[in-house]
Amino acid sequence: MNPGQTQRRPWIVGVSGASGTPYAAAVLRALLDAGESVDLVVSRASRLTLLDETGLAFRDAHWQQDLREWLARGADGKPDTFDVRIDDVRHWSARDLAAGPSSGSYPTKGMLIVPASTACVAGVALGLSKDLLQRAAGVTLKEGRKLVVAVRETPLSGQTLRQLVALDDAGATVLPASPGFYAGGTHIQDLVDFVAGRVLDAAGVEHSLYRRWEGELGGGSRAT
């Protein structure tokens, strides 16, 4: 790094295999809109979910093209809904356990797992590090950095609940992907953006994804 050059400190965004890839897309767009750098890890299982939910593939060799097409798509599946720039995204293969985020000396602001499957929750809670996503989450915890786990499964078994408590005890923020309706959303994108906004709230990143509660009953319905 040249003298006077600012060190890049990205947010790691891990996408696991739970249903809910529009949540990940909304978080990624908002981070980039906020001027944040992003390191992206897309698990093997999440690629199958992305293909099923959107019809889009995510390929390591063509990740920029695939990511751009994914992020431009709305939650309703309509292509070219958003204008996106991915200049400050760095992609790491989930198989690459020698990647930057696998080490605590690699500078990051923290990590957001969106969505987080119960298998991912178990792997992180137990410290399994079976792929880069789990390894990076474990590193984030041991370094005392912000880890937000947006779990999206229902119902939750007792075992998963205990694992979520273990993550909370370790310092993670457990954030169920549960949209609120008081913001006055009328479209699927509104509900997706509410969850994405709550993830960014937990990370301390400014955004304007949803209407905040202001203590006025019925305000959301009048806002529409």
Side-chain angles (χ1 to χ4, degrees):
M1 185 172 66
N2 296 327
Q5 181 179 348
T6 302
Q7 185 179 51
R8 181 177 182 271
R9 293 182 65 86
W11 284 99
I12 304 170
V13 177
V15 187
S16 79
S19 177
T21 54
Y23 292 132
V27 166
L28 287 164
R29 285 192 299 265
L31 285 172
L32 296 172
D33 286 346
E36 299 286 347
S37 301
V38 172
D39 276 21
L40 178 63
V41 182
V42 182
S43 77
R44 180 180 177 183
S46 70
R47 298 173 194 226
L48 298 176
T49 305
L50 180 65
L51 183 63
D52 184 58
E53 293 184 343
T54 69
L56 300 175
F58 191 93
R59 303 160 293 178
D60 287 341
H62 304 280
W63 71 268
Q64 290 173 309
Q65 173 188 338
D66 295 342
L67 178 63
R68 191 176 290 108
E69 186 175 0
W70 176 28
L71 297 190
R73 183 165 298 207
D76 60 0
K78 183 179 179 181
D80 301 321
T81 299
F82 298 99
D83 183 23
V84 296
R85 293 180 60 88
I86 61 170
D87 299 340
D88 206 2
V89 178
R90 185 171 186 179
H91 167 257
W92 301 95
S93 171
R95 299 188 302 270
D96 186 3
L97 291 177
S102 68
S103 171
S105 66
Y106 183 78
T108 73
K109 292 184 176 180
M111 183 171 183
L112 316 175
I113 305 178
V114 187
S117 66
T118 53
C120 175
V121 166
V124 177
L126 298 174
L128 298 183
S129 296
K130 74 169 188 178
D131 61 8
L132 180 60
L133 195 159
Q134 293 183 11
R135 170 63 185 170
V139 168
T140 300
L141 286 176
K142 81 178 182 67
E143 295 296 322
R145 299 168 184 161
K146 173 66 71 174
L147 175 65
V148 181
V149 180
V151 60
R152 207 241 54 87
E153 296 278 9
T154 190
L156 297 175
S157 69
Q159 183 179 36
T160 297
L161 290 170
R162 288 187 289 271
Q163 290 161 348
L164 290 171
V165 169
L167 289 179
D168 179 79
D169 289 343
T173 298
V174 175
L175 194 152
S178 302
F181 294 85
Y182 60 81
T186 57
H187 302 286
I188 185 173
Q189 190 66 57
D190 297 325
L191 299 179
V192 167
D193 285 347
F194 181 90
V195 172
R198 295 299 287 150
V199 171
L200 295 178
D201 287 345
V205 176
E206 293 187 7
H207 66 88
S208 56
L209 287 175
Y210 69 89
R211 175 189 174 275
R212 297 184 180 278
W213 175 252
E214 297 177 347
E216 182 183 2
L217 291 175
S221 60
R222 287 194 292 272
T224 60

